[in-house]
Amino acid sequence: RTPGGRDLALGANEVSITFSVDASYDQIRRMINLLELSQQFVIIEGVSLSSGNEDKLSLSLRLKTLFRDEDAPAAANRL
C-alpha cells in the first residue's frame, strides 16, 4: 500500500469518507440500509450516535470504499 491509499495489489484506490448528519431515527435507519444495499462496496468503519435537538439524532459515520484504478495493469483490475 502506498501512502496515498493506493492498493497496488488490487489496482484500486482506497477512499475514506467522514460525515455527520442530523436526522430522525427512521431517516438514519434508512440511510444506513441504503449504504448496505449499495452496489458500491462500502465498509462502515465507525459510527457515533448522540441525541440532538428536538426529535433529531446526530450521526457521525466513517466509511471506506475502493475505486478501480483505470491506469493499473489489466490483471489488477479484477474488483
Side-chain angles (χ1 to χ4, degrees), residues 3-4 8-9 13-14 21 24 26-29 31 55 59 73 75-76:
L8 297 175
N13 290 312
E14 182 181 281
V21 295
S24 70
D26 288 334
Q27 291 169 324
I28 288 173
R29 272 189 42 207
M31 184 183 67
D55 61 343
L59 173 73

Side-chain angles (χ1 to χ4, degrees), residues 16 23-24 33 38 51 57 59 61-63 67 72 76 78-79:
S16 294
S24 70
N33 181 253
S38 171
S51 60
L57 299 170
L59 173 73
L61 279 176
R62 192 172 69 249
L63 310 173
F67 287 97
R78 294 189 182 152
L79 291 179

Side-chain angles (χ1 to χ4, degrees), residues 34-53:
L34 289 172
L35 285 170
E36 291 175 329
L37 296 174
S38 171
Q39 290 187 13
Q40 176 68 40
F41 180 70
V42 177
I43 299 167
I44 299 174
E45 288 193 309
V47 176
S48 173
L49 187 64
S50 60
S51 60
N53 42 358

